[in-house]
Amino acid sequence: MLSAAHDILSHERTSGNQSHVDPSPTPIPHNSSSRFDCNSVSTAAVLLADILPTLVIKLLAPIGLHLLPYSPRVLVSGICAAGSFVLVASSHSVGTSLCGVVLASISSGLGEVTFLSLTAFYPRAVISWWSSGTGGAGLLGALSYLGLTQAGLSPQHTLLSMLGIPAVLLASYFLLLTSPEPQDPGGEEEAESAARQPLIGTEAPESKPGSGSSLSFQERWTVFKGLLWYIVPLVMVYFAEYFINQGLFELLFFRNTPLSHAQQYRWYQMLYQAGVFASRSSLRCCRIRFTWALALLQCLNLVFLLADVWFGFLPSIYFVFLIVLYEGLLGGAAYVNTFHNIALETSDEHREFAMAATCISDTLGISLSGLLALPLHDFLCQLS
């Protein structure tokens, strides 16, 4: 949805209600009256529609989401994902498209909290695979959107082609994923039998002794205060990178390139996701204890690109491509190392709650960036 943000806000409908999109690599005429070739609405509007429902879900998750079994959560997540693709693809207005983005946000937020909580019941190595998988999902989404639109498919048909992904999600959970082994199995045979039961048939994690659902409010608050060492840097990392992604990407517009404005935006998103995927998959090679250093570097990225938007000193889009790739590397490294450190440093009884509570970090940072990127877009576009 974020890769499609520029298209969602700039698409026009012909009298036959067909989307008018120029997917070819040939440059299209740009808005000569604006230095930035601005849309009337910032892509930060799509970011807010994409993140605020997730923020609400993650704020409520540590309080009462554990009362809902995992299987219904996954089912709702898959249905909302499919609904978001259909709604945005069939939309004839920006408002309806944003409603579709909201559905995608519900799916994303509920899914992330659910599966990160589930990692507490499996070996710690699962954190590395989870991070790599989410990084790969971001890259695959951005790359497929870029590739299919470059090949000539309209954004609407590209979104509809993604409908198989929620189906694979549900099939993977209900048919492939097995329950974690019980803590005190009666024997090897019993443990093996329990491990092979699909989670649809049992909600064993919900009743596991010492799980996050049995913690008192005071215990939750104590654990949360201890997590702030990791939460605050991750908030800063995501604030800086999504201020860049949804506040500055659409303003980093180069006319001396064969790429149209929409294509430039898609390339930025794809390169960012490539960096995220690479660094989220790097835990076995490189582990970082002090994630605040990554937050500082990401904030420097923001300052540098904000200065370029204002002064326009970078001579070529390829310099921006390199910076965006580097930005993704920092963001992915911050994510995977934060959750890995938490998995190592929290006790078994606190780990499920800690994973769910720390989910708020990226969402909070992204929400703040969207709220600040909207007025920045309006200010700069009025000046230009």
Side-chain angles (χ1 to χ4, degrees):
M1 292 301 171
L2 296 182
S3 294
H6 193 274
D7 294 318
I8 288 173
L9 295 174
S10 63
H11 79 278
E12 298 176 1
R13 299 287 174 175
T14 65
S15 57
N17 283 334
Q18 297 297 315
S19 175
H20 177 69
V21 179
D22 180 8
S24 69
T26 307
I28 61 173
H30 299 296
N31 180 0
S32 59
S33 64
S34 169
R35 169 188 164 193
F36 300 113
D37 190 27
C38 296
N39 282 320
S40 59
V41 181
S42 169
T43 51
V46 175
L47 176 64
L48 289 175
D50 188 64
I51 207 63
L52 290 181
T54 296
L55 177 63
V56 172
I57 290 171
K58 291 184 177 181
L59 285 172
L60 296 177
I63 301 172
L65 192 61
H66 61 275
L67 300 174
L68 183 65
Y70 284 101
S71 294
R73 293 193 229 170
V74 176
L75 186 61
V76 171
S77 181
I79 292 172
C80 287
S84 71
F85 289 132
V86 173
L87 196 56
V88 174
S90 61
S91 169
H92 293 178
S93 69
V94 170
T96 306
S97 294
L98 292 180
C99 290
V101 177
V102 168
L103 280 181
S105 178
I106 294 171
S107 170
S108 174
L110 188 59
E112 184 176 9
V113 171
T114 296
F115 287 114
L116 265 176
S117 297
L118 268 175
T119 64
F121 304 97
Y122 292 88
R124 288 189 178 94
V126 167
I127 295 292
S128 174
W129 293 107
W130 159 265
S131 299
S132 180
T134 53
L139 176 60
L140 190 61
L143 190 59
S144 60
Y145 187 80
L146 172 67
L148 290 172
T149 51
Q150 286 283 119
L153 204 63
S154 72
Q156 287 70 33
H157 290 144
T158 298
L159 289 172
L160 288 175
S161 72
M162 302 294 173
L163 281 173
I165 303 301
V168 173
L169 163 68
L170 296 176
S172 299
Y173 178 83
F174 289 110
L175 302 178
L176 296 180
L177 187 63
T178 56
S179 295
E181 293 183 10
Q183 280 193 310
D184 299 304
E188 287 187 12
E189 250 183 58
E190 185 180 338
E192 186 177 353
S193 173
R196 286 180 179 171
Q197 291 178 348
L199 284 173
I200 186 174
T202 176
E203 294 298 341
E206 301 293 331
S207 58
K208 178 179 174 180
S211 71
S213 59
S214 64
L215 298 178
S216 68
F217 178 81
Q218 185 59 42
E219 284 179 296
R220 289 167 184 267
W221 178 243
T222 301
V223 173
F224 181 78
K225 287 192 294 185
L227 293 172
L228 289 176
W229 173 253
Y230 293 113
I231 288 176
V232 173
L234 197 58
V235 169
M236 293 174 60
V237 166
Y238 274 86
F239 168 79
E241 71 184 65
Y242 275 85
F243 194 97
I244 294 170
N245 291 2
Q246 306 305 131
L248 302 185
F249 274 4
E250 62 179 323
L251 303 177
L252 290 165
F253 170 50
F254 290 81
R255 297 177 186 271
N256 59 341
T257 171
L259 299 174
S260 71
H261 194 174
Q263 290 166 345
Q264 290 179 40
Y265 184 87
R266 296 169 198 155
W267 272 99
Y268 292 150
Q269 293 288 348
M270 190 278 294
L271 289 169
Y272 161 75
Q273 295 292 354
V276 168
F277 173 59
S279 56
R280 285 195 183 191
S281 305
S282 67
L283 191 60
R284 292 181 180 273
C285 306
C286 177
R287 295 179 181 178
I288 301 172
R289 175 71 176 81
F290 300 106
T291 53
W292 57 264
L294 301 173
L296 177 61
L297 292 172
Q298 197 70 291
C299 289
L300 291 175
N301 263 349
L302 170 59
V303 171
F304 181 82
L305 289 176
L306 189 58
D308 179 64
V309 166
W310 186 262
F311 297 107
F313 53 80
L314 288 177
S316 169
I317 194 173
Y318 298 106
F319 289 101
V320 180
F321 282 172
L322 289 174
I323 295 169
V324 168
L325 185 64
Y326 170 61
E327 174 211 347
L329 289 171
L330 291 177
Y335 184 95
V336 66
N337 283 281
T338 294
F339 285 105
H340 175 72
N341 292 336
I342 290 172
L344 289 178
E345 296 177 17
T346 54
S347 62
D348 291 343
E349 67 207 61
H350 295 154
R351 191 169 300 121
E352 182 187 10
F353 169 77
M355 290 297 185
T358 309
C359 273
I360 193 65
S361 308
D362 56 347
T363 309
L364 181 59
I366 295 169
S367 301
L368 293 173
S369 69
L371 291 171
L372 290 178
L374 276 173
L376 173 74
H377 171 274
D378 294 341
F379 173 72
L380 291 176
C381 289
Q382 285 175 5
L383 282 182
S384 66

